[in-house]
């Protein structure tokens, strides 16, 4: 919810930095290591400043302790480590700069390294076209804390984004977040121990598939927030494993993501044209799937909501998923009371929970147009929680949801098209 993301052989050809880049059997003396890390940081930032289109900045295996954030402004640059768990940029002692690595540029690739313990966001990519994040881990190593950075992997206002085979752990907002972007694929990645595991926000044309989201507060989120540069639509969430996302919410109070209930599997909020299919959604204690409106989030901006903002979920299609468990211990007094009233102490909320908010302006004889409906195939039961009336008249009737929608086309992005 909420939320905005070539110079060859850095160390191999530069003898003066060999001591900083060579992995040793034991820890170096602290003064020597600090000096080596400072030299490494200075040279790396120089290379980022001097990088030209086609530059490849290679960072050998080792753990490098950095005291300030890094910035790249330029097109066509690749940053490449020796492996996700071999090249580690640690910002645990970061003094200056809000991000670990901040990037402005087109044609950017980062791969085969870890960024950890940054003061703010781990990897933020702003305003770029043709972005690849491959085999990158961003993590906070001290467990879930409100003081962790908000976002792990964070492209915002970007186009043609590929995030694959990556890992995000411990973000106090979203581990993998793509916002206000167009043409996005997030695949074969893992999000664990974040407030939101994977979040697609105010983004157009996104495919999220073959990922694992586990032990987050919410597993996979597809959101539209108000007062941003564009509205999102057309997202497919499929072939993911979304399991046991029951972590207590540790987001900063007042942030939008702080309203996500622990135990949320896949959450759609105020978005449209969203497909959820062929996923394994397992033991998320509030509900395996939540479909909701901005009206039920409890989050309101101080500036108000722009007049053109559409707060209602529309054209949502849930089909051919495999659900197991879940809904047995919902977060929040209202949902707990709803569960007990509808299903008893030992019961559980159904796999799909809808808050009941609907755009009545579009309804004809009490029904939305066929292409605007929420459709849930018979593999899942549905509860209309009747949020507009404070849960007074919830309904288990699934008949209104037994419908079909036209399926969305796959997302095609530039770097994949070039490889075909």
């Amino acid at each position: 919810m909420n939320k905005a993301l070539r110079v060859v052989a850095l160390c191999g050809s530069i003898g003066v930095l060999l001591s900083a880049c060579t992995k040793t059997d034991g820890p170096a003396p602290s003064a020597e290591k600090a000096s080596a890390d400072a030299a490494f940081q200075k040279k790396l930032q120089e290379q980022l400043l001097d990088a030209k289109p086609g530059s490849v900045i290679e960072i050998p295996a080792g753990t490098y302790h950095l005291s300030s954030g890094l910035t790249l402004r330029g097109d066509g640059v690749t940053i490449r480590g020796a492996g996700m768990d071999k090249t580690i940029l640690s910002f645990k002692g970061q003094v200056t700069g809000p991000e670990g690595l901040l990037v402005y540029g087109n044609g950017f690739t980062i791969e085969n390294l870890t960024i950890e313990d940054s003061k703010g966001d781990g990897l933020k990519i702003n305003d770029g076209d043709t972005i690849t994040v491959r085999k990158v881990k961003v993590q906070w190593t001290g467990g879930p804390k409100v003081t962790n950075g908000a976002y792990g992997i964070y492209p915002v206002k970007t186009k043609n984004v590929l995030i694959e085979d990556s890992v995000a752990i411990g973000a106090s907002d979203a581990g993998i977040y793509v916002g206000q972007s167009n043409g996005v694929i997030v695949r074969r990645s893992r999000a664990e121990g974040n407030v939101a595991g994977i979040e697609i926000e105010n983004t157009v044309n996104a495919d999220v598939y073959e990922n694992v989201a586990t032990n987050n507060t919410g597993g996979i989120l597809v959101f539209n927030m108000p007062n941003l540069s564009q509205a999102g639509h057309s997202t497919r969430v499929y072939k993911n494993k979304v399991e046991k996302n029951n972590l207590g919410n540790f987001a900063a109070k007042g942030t939008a993501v702080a309203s996500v209930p622990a135990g949320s599997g896949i959450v759609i909020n105020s978005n449209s044209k969203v497909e959820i299919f062929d996923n394994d959604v397992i033991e998320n204690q509030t509900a395996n799937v939540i479909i909701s409106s901005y009206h039920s989030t409890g989050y309101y901006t101080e500036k108000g909501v722009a007049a053109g903002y559409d707060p209602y979920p529309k054209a949502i299609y849930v089909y051919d998923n495999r659900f197991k468990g879940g809904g047995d211990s919902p977060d929040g007094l209202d949902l707990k009371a709803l569960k007990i009233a509808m299903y008893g102490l030992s019961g559980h909320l159904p796999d799909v929970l809808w808050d009941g908010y609907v755009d009545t302006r579009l309804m004809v004889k009490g029904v939305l147009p066929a292409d605007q409906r929420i459709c849930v195939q018979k593999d899942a039961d549905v509860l209309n929680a009747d949020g507009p009336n404070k849960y007074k008249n919830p309904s288990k009737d699934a008949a209104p949801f037994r419908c079909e929608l036209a399926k969305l086309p796959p997302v095609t992005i530039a770097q994949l098209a070039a490889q075909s």
Side-chain angles (χ1 to χ4, degrees):
M1 291 185 198
N2 276 305
K3 354 24 32 296
L5 125 161
R6 294 179 207 197
V7 191
V8 180
L10 173 62
C11 297
S13 62
I14 304 173
V16 70
L17 288 181
L18 281 176
S19 62
C21 298
T22 303
K23 204 169 184 180
T24 59
D25 292 332
S30 58
E32 180 182 343
K33 183 67 169 75
S35 177
D37 283 336
F40 168 83
Q41 178 173 305
K42 181 175 183 292
K43 189 62 184 181
L44 178 55
Q45 186 62 79
E46 287 174 355
Q47 289 196 292
L48 293 171
L49 289 170
D50 295 340
K52 302 294 189 295
S55 294
V56 179
I57 299 174
E58 297 204 24
I59 308 177
T63 299
Y64 309 98
H65 298 276
L66 309 180
S67 61
S68 63
L70 303 169
T71 302
L72 169 66
R73 296 177 183 269
D75 296 339
V77 178
T78 293
I79 298 175
R80 178 180 297 140
M84 182 188 291
D85 295 313
K86 294 180 179 179
T87 297
I88 300 171
L89 304 180
S90 173
F91 292 87
K92 195 166 188 176
Q94 184 175 2
V95 177
T96 60
E99 292 90 12
L101 174 61
L102 174 61
V103 177
Y104 293 91
N106 302 314
F108 171 68
T109 296
I110 184 168
E111 58 190 6
N112 299 327
L113 55 78
T114 289
I115 295 170
E116 64 183 29
D117 294 322
S118 56
K119 185 177 179 180
D121 307 323
L123 168 62
K124 184 175 182 179
I125 304 165
N126 255 323
D127 298 313
D129 190 341
T130 313
I131 307 298
T132 300
V133 180
R134 177 182 295 117
K135 296 182 179 179
V136 170
K137 180 190 290 184
V138 178
Q139 66 178 344
W140 285 266
T141 60
K145 297 178 182 177
V146 69
T147 52
N148 292 352
Y151 301 100
I153 298 170
Y154 182 21
V156 62
K157 297 184 179 179
T158 49
K159 297 178 181 179
N160 296 306
V161 178
L162 174 62
I163 300 172
E164 63 181 6
D165 304 310
S166 294
V167 178
I169 300 171
S172 65
D173 197 300
I176 298 173
Y177 171 101
V178 185
Q180 301 173 74
S181 295
N182 195 322
V184 174
I185 292 177
V186 180
R187 66 185 181 188
R188 300 192 306 268
S189 294
R190 182 179 184 88
E192 182 171 0
N194 310 282
V195 176
I198 299 171
E199 182 173 357
I200 306 298
E201 183 175 280
N202 291 71
T203 286
V204 177
N205 298 324
D207 273 359
V208 180
Y209 64 92
E210 296 177 3
N211 303 287
V212 175
T214 186
N215 193 36
N216 306 285
T217 299
I220 298 177
L221 280 56
V222 183
F223 275 48
N224 258 342
M225 295 298 294
N227 308 330
L228 297 179
S229 62
Q230 70 177 33
H233 61 80
S234 303
T235 295
R236 302 192 310 160
V237 178
Y238 64 98
K239 294 185 178 178
N240 301 284
K241 186 174 184 180
V242 184
E243 182 176 16
K244 296 181 180 178
N245 292 283
N246 303 314
L247 182 65
N249 194 316
F250 59 99
K253 290 183 179 180
T255 60
V257 78
S259 68
V260 175
S264 300
I266 300 172
V267 186
I268 301 168
N269 184 260
S270 305
N271 212 297
S272 63
K273 297 182 181 178
V274 180
E275 284 185 40
I276 302 172
F277 64 97
D278 199 14
N279 299 283
D280 292 286
V281 193
I282 303 166
E283 296 183 18
N284 302 284
Q285 290 178 336
T286 289
N288 284 325
V289 175
I290 298 174
I291 301 171
S292 62
S293 162
Y294 177 79
H295 292 307
S296 68
T297 62
Y299 173 77
Y300 300 94
T301 91
E302 293 181 359
K303 297 179 180 179
V305 174
Y309 174 65
D310 184 354
Y312 301 102
K314 297 172 180 174
I316 312 300
Y317 196 12
V318 182
Y319 63 95
D320 294 343
N321 297 283
R322 293 165 295 279
F323 297 111
K324 181 180 177 181
D328 54 321
S329 183
D331 187 22
L333 294 177
D334 287 342
L335 290 177
K336 288 181 188 298
L338 178 65
K339 189 216 66 158
I340 293 169
M342 297 294 291
Y343 302 97
L345 284 171
S346 60
H348 59 84
L349 294 174
D351 289 309
V352 179
L353 175 64
W354 175 45
D355 67 359
Y357 283 91
V358 63
D359 192 347
T360 55
R361 297 170 302 174
L362 300 180
M363 298 178 77
V364 177
K365 295 182 179 180
V367 179
L368 284 172
D371 63 350
Q372 300 290 305
R373 296 173 64 185
I374 296 172
C375 294
V376 180
Q377 285 194 351
K378 60 183 179 181
D379 57 349
D381 291 329
V382 187
L383 177 65
N384 173 356
D386 192 34
N389 295 307
K390 300 186 184 301
Y391 308 114
K392 290 180 181 178
N393 296 296
S395 172
K396 300 178 184 179
D397 183 8
F401 304 95
R402 300 308 191 212
C403 52
E404 296 184 9
L405 296 170
K407 294 180 180 179
L408 299 170
V411 172
T412 302
I413 58 179
Q415 55 265 63
L416 297 182
Q419 295 168 9
S420 62

